[in-house]
C-alpha cells in the first residue's frame, strides 16, 4: 500500500528547501548592517572621516556622517549585483537540472554558495567592498539556479495530493531565511562593527548541511524514467519516497508523459518562446511571476520602517521583524490550505486583498499629517498586505510553473519564469525609489491598479491545478486552445520541433 508521506520524502523536501532558506537569508541579510558595512567601505576607500566618528562617540550615524558618492556606488552595487547574478544564472536551470540530474545539480551549485560565503566571511581580511560585491554576485548566481532547481525537484517527487503544500515550502523556507537574517542582524548580535562579516559569511552555511544530506536523498523518479529511461531505478526511487507499494500506476502515468515528451523533444528556451503549442501555459507562468514581483511587496518593505516610525513605534526594526513573523505564519496558512482551497482561489483572494490594502495604504499615507490616527491605518495595512501576499501570490508562482508544463518543456519554462522573477525584482529595486519620489504617498495607487489587473487576469485565464496530474493539467490548456480543430497544426509543429537539431 502507498504510504504517500514517508520519512525519506520529508527528508528530501527538507533538504531541497535548505536551498530556499539560503536564498531568503541572502535576500534579507544585506539590509540590517548597511551603515556598518558602509563605514568599512569608506575606510577601505580612504574617505572615512575618523575625526567626525570620534566626535560621534565612535559610532557615527547616517545623520552625523555624510556618505561619500563612491561608498554609495559600491553599496548599491553590493545590493543590485545579487539580482543580476540571479537573472543570469536562472537561464542555466534547464541545463544544470538535465545535465546530471536534480540531486547532483543542487549538490554542484553548492560550491558557488560556499565560495560566496567564504569571500564575504573573510571580507575584513582583504578589500571589503570588492570581496562583498564578488561574494554577492556569486551568491546571486547560486540563488538563481536554486530558485529553479528546488521547486522543480519538490514538484517532481511530491504526491499529487500534497504537491501544493510541498511546493509552498519553497516560499516558507525563503521567509524563514529572511526572518533569521533580520534577527541575527540586530546590532547587539552580529549586525555590528566586529561581527558583520560573520553575518554575511553565514550565507553559505546551509549549503554545507544540504551537501551532506543530498548524498542520501533519492533522485527524482520522473527524471530517471522520462529523461534517462531507467525504469528499475525509477521504481526504487518511488518506493524510497512513498513506501513499499505497487508502483505500476505511477509508472503508467510517467510512461504517458514520456510518450508526450518524446513527441515534444527537449525544449530549448528559444524554441519554447517560439512554440504556439505552449503559448498559453507560458503566458500564465510569466504573468504569475509578474504579479508576485509587481504586487508592491518589496515597496511595502521599503516603506515599512518610516510608517512604523510615524506611528510612534520606538524601535521600528522590531516592527519590521514582526512583519517577518507574519510572513511565516501566513505562509504556513498557505501550506495548509493550498491543497484544499486550490491555487487559483488563494491567488485571487491574495491579490484582491492586497489591492484593498494598497488603497488603504494610500489613504493612510495621504492623510497621516492631518489625522495622526491614520498612521495606524497604514500600519495595519502593512500587516494585512503581507498576510494576503503569503496566502497565495507569494508561494504559488514558484511551483505552479512545474505543474502546468509537462516533462519536455518544464525545465526551460522554469528557467524563463525564474529569469522573469529576478528581472522584475531588479527593476523594482532600481526604479521604485524614483517612482516613490515622483508619486509620493500616492505610489501605492500604481500597485493597486496593477493588483486589480492581475486579479482579473487570474480569474479569467488561470485554471485550477489542485489534485490534477501533470497530463490532466496539460489537457486543460489544450482544451482552452480549442485543441481538436488545431490538432493537425499542433502535430506538424511537434514534428518540426522533434526534427530540429537545436531543440
Amino acid at each position: 500500500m502507498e504510504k504517500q508521506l514517508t520519512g525519506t520524502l520529508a527528508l528530501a523536501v527538507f533538504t531541497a528547501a535548505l536551498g530556499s532558506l539560503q536564498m531568503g537569508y541572502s535576500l534579507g541579510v544585506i539590509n540590517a548592517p548597511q551603515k556598518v558595512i558602509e563605514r568599512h567601505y569608506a575606510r577601505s576607500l580612504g574617505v572615512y572621516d575618523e575625526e567626525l566618528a570620534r566626535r560621534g562617540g565612535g559610532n557615527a550615524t547616517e545623520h552625523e556622517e555624510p556618505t561619500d558618492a563612491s561608498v554609495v556606488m559600491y553599496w548599491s552595487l553590493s545590493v543590485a549585483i545579487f539580482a543580476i547574478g540571479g537573472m543570469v544564472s536562472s537561464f542555466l536551470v534547464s541545463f544544470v537540472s538535465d545535465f546530471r540530474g536534480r540531486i547532483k545539480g543542487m549538490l554542484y551549485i553548492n560550491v558557488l554558495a560556499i565560495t560566496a560565503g567564504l569571500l564575504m566571511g573573510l571580507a575584513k581580511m582583504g578589500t571589503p567592498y570588492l570581496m562583498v560585491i564578488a561574494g554577492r554576485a556569486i551568491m546571486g548566481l547560486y540563488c538563481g539556479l536554486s530558485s529553479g532547481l528546488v521547486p522543480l525537484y519538490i514538484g517532481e517527487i511530491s504526491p499529487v495530493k500534497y504537491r501544493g503544500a510541498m511546493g509552498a515550502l519553497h516560499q516558507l523556507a525563503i521567509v524563514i531565511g529572511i526572518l533569521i537574517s533580520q534577527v541575527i542582524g540586530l546590532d547587539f548580535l552580529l549586525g555590528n562593527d566586529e561581527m558583520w562579516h560573520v553575518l554575511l559569511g553565514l550565507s553559505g552555511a546551509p549549503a554545507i548541511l544540504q551537501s551532506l544530506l543530498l548524498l542520501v536523498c533519492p533522485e527524482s523518479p520522473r527524471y530517471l524514467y522520462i529523461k534517462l529511461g531507467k525504469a528499475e531505478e525509477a521504481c526504487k526511487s518511488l518506493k524510497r519516497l512513498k513506501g513499499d507499494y505497487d508502483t505500476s500506476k505511477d509508472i503508467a502515468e510517467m510512461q504517458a508523459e514520456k510518450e508526450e515528451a518524446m513527441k515534444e523533444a527537449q525544449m530549448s528556451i528559444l524554441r519554447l518562446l517560439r512554440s504556439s503549442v505552449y503559448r498559453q501555459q507560458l503566458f500564465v507562468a510569466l504573468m504569475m511571476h509578474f504579479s508576485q514581483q509587481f504586487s508592491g511587496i518589496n515597496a511595502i518593505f521599503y516603506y515599512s520602517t518610516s510608517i512604523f516610525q510615524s506611528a510612534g513605534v520606538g524601535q521600528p526594526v522590531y516592527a519590521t521583524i514582526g512583519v517577518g513573523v507574519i510572513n511565516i505564519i501566513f505562509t504556513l496558512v498557505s501550506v495548509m490550505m493550498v491543497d484544499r482551497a486550490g491555487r487559483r482561489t488563494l491567488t485571487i483572494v491574495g491579490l484582491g486583498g492586497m489591492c484593498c490594502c494598497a488603497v488603504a495604504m494610500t489613504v493612510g499615507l495621504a492623510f497621516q499629517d492631518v489625522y495622526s490616527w491614520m498612521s495606524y491605518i497604514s500600519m495595519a495595512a502593512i500587516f494585512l498586505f503581507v498576510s494576503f501576499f503569503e496566502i497565495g501570490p507569494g508561494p504559488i508562482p514558484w511551483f505552479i510553473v512545474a505543474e502546468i508544463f509537462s516533462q519536455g518543456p518544464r525545465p526551460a519554462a522554469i528557467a524563463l519564469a525564474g529569469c522573469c522573477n529576478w528581472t522584475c525584482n531588479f527593476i523594482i529595486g532600481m526604479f521604485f525609489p524614483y517612482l516613490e519620489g515622483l508619486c509620493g504617498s500616492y505610489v501605492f495607487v500604481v500597485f493597486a491598479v496593477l493588483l486589480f489587473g492581475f486579479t482579473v487576469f487570474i480569474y479569467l485565464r488561470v485554471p485550477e491545478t489542485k489534485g490534477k496530474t501533470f497530463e490532466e493539467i496539460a489537457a486543460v490548456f489544450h482544451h482552452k486552445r480549442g485543441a481538436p480543430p488545431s490538432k493537425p497544426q499542433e502535430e506538424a509543429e511537434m514534428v518540426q520541433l522533434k526534427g530540429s537539431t537545436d531543440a
Side-chain angles (χ1 to χ4, degrees), residues 25 29-30 33 36-37 40-41 116-129 131-132 135 184-185 189-205:
Y25 186 92
V29 75
I30 202 73
V36 173
I37 297 172
H40 282 272
Y41 282 12
L118 287 171
L119 276 169
M120 292 186 284
L122 301 173
K124 282 178 82 170
M125 296 171 64
T127 308
Y129 61 93
M131 292 181 75
V132 170
I184 66 175
L189 292 175
L190 298 182
N192 52 54
D193 265 320
E194 290 74 35
M195 301 297 288
W196 66 269
H197 60 294
V198 177
L199 178 69
L200 296 186
L202 285 173
S203 299

Side-chain angles (χ1 to χ4, degrees), residues 115 251 346 359 373 403 413:
T115 303
I251 292 293
L346 289 182
V359 173
W373 53 269
E403 290 189 329

Side-chain angles (χ1 to χ4, degrees), residues 26-104:
S26 300
L27 281 167
V29 75
I30 202 73
N31 298 320
Q34 176 178 349
K35 291 301 165 188
V36 173
I37 297 172
E38 282 180 345
R39 283 201 291 279
H40 282 272
Y41 282 12
R43 286 193 187 104
S44 181
L45 291 161
V47 296
Y48 185 66
D49 192 333
E50 297 284 355
E51 180 60 32
L52 183 64
R54 275 194 294 274
R55 286 204 304 269
N59 190 27
T61 67
E62 57 187 299
H63 302 296
E64 297 164 332
E65 185 180 349
T67 307
D68 187 85
S70 60
V71 175
V72 173
M73 182 191 75
Y74 282 118
W75 171 257
S76 300
L77 194 55
S78 301
V79 177
I81 204 161
F82 178 75
I84 294 170
M87 285 161 54
V88 171
S89 66
S90 58
F91 276 114
L92 300 173
V93 169
S94 177
F95 170 76
V96 172
S97 65
D98 284 342
F99 178 57
R100 295 299 297 274
R102 288 34 166 164
I103 290 290
K104 287 182 179 174

